[in-house]
Amino acid sequence: MTHSDSTLPVGYSRVAPGHVASVVTSLEMLSKPETTTAPLPAGVTLVKLRNPELEAYRALFRQVGSAWLWYSRILMEDEKLRAILNRESVDVYVIKEKDEDIGILELDFSEPDACELAFLGLTPNTTGKGFGRAIMNQAIDLAWSRPIKRFWVHTCTFDHPSALGFYIRSGFRPYAVQVEVQADPRLTGHLPADAAPHIPVIRPAQ
């Protein structure tokens, strides 16, 4: 994601055909919530990745995120992605139910005194089982087990409709809104053409 300090004008702003735009909300937590962490559901574990194989990682990333048009790690060059996943300040976990990979949790401690909840997602077949709440509680514990002053996350309008409310109920508070524009990864071939059917594809004129 390329960041800019400029602000959009009031009113409509045109997005070029072949691109997608989302409204991104950033949220932060400045102290650990006073809640008791429940254990993970039976059979569910967090397995920390070490020197992950990129093809397997991206396959799980697609499985978790294609429905919500997750594309950042799909577009990223191999060397850059490998450097992030192997960084000492980044903790990447595969969420497992018994022997099946069902999700990703990534915590990034690269910023001093802070932790970013970079990714937390589950595969579509696990939705509605209550795993999300338990894993979020684990993420909060893992983040605040370090000497941080701020835990933050961002979500966007491509995400699950309940995602923003889920983060707020977890103790995060919104502090910024941005608009992100990106080439549609379904048109570049990085994601299947039928991914995220709730987001329209606007093709460039031939």
Side-chain angles (χ1 to χ4, degrees):
M1 186 192 321
T2 300
H3 295 273
S4 172
D5 292 330
S6 62
T7 58
L8 290 173
V10 174
Y12 291 97
S13 295
R14 185 175 179 273
V15 176
H19 291 69
V20 288
S22 63
V23 177
V24 179
T25 301
S26 295
L27 307 97
E28 63 184 1
M29 179 187 295
L30 301 180
S31 61
K32 185 180 179 183
E34 295 181 2
T35 56
T36 301
T37 300
L40 289 171
V44 176
T45 55
L46 299 179
V47 179
K48 192 171 183 178
L49 283 184
R50 300 186 187 280
N51 300 314
E53 201 280 316
L54 296 189
E55 185 175 346
Y57 171 85
R58 284 199 176 109
L60 180 58
F61 188 91
R62 285 188 174 94
Q63 189 179 0
V64 170
S66 287
W68 314 114
L69 218 62
W70 285 17
Y71 52 75
S72 60
R73 296 294 170 79
I74 306 301
L75 302 179
M76 191 174 290
E77 293 180 356
D78 285 356
E79 288 309 308
K80 183 176 180 180
L81 177 57
R82 186 175 290 108
I84 290 173
L85 297 180
N86 291 325
R87 193 178 294 162
E88 289 291 331
S89 56
V90 175
D91 292 342
V92 183
Y93 299 87
V94 171
I95 305 164
K96 289 180 170 286
E97 184 179 16
K98 298 180 180 177
D99 293 327
E100 181 183 358
D101 295 347
I102 63 167
I104 295 172
L105 168 64
E106 182 178 321
L107 300 172
D108 188 343
F109 296 90
S110 300
E111 180 186 345
D113 299 322
C115 175
E116 178 188 2
L117 177 57
F119 293 101
L120 194 168
L122 295 165
T123 54
N125 61 322
T126 60
T127 302
K129 294 185 177 181
F131 293 171
R133 168 54 53 207
I135 294 163
M136 174 59 81
N137 287 344
Q138 292 286 319
I140 291 171
D141 272 1
L142 288 167
W144 288 101
S145 68
R146 307 278 192 93
I148 65 170
K149 298 178 181 177
R150 177 174 176 262
F151 187 29
W152 71 281
V153 64
H154 67 259
T155 186
C156 75
T157 47
F158 292 163
D159 210 343
H160 191 286
S162 66
L164 181 58
F166 174 75
Y167 288 129
I168 292 172
R169 290 192 300 274
S170 299
F172 292 94
R173 293 294 175 262
Y175 69 90
V177 175
Q178 296 170 297
V179 173
E180 181 181 12
V181 179
Q182 174 68 45
D184 193 325
R186 296 165 297 186
L187 296 180
T188 62
H190 290 91
L191 286 177
D194 60 353
H198 62 295
I199 302 168
V201 176
I202 309 297
R203 297 178 180 276
Q206 298 296 323

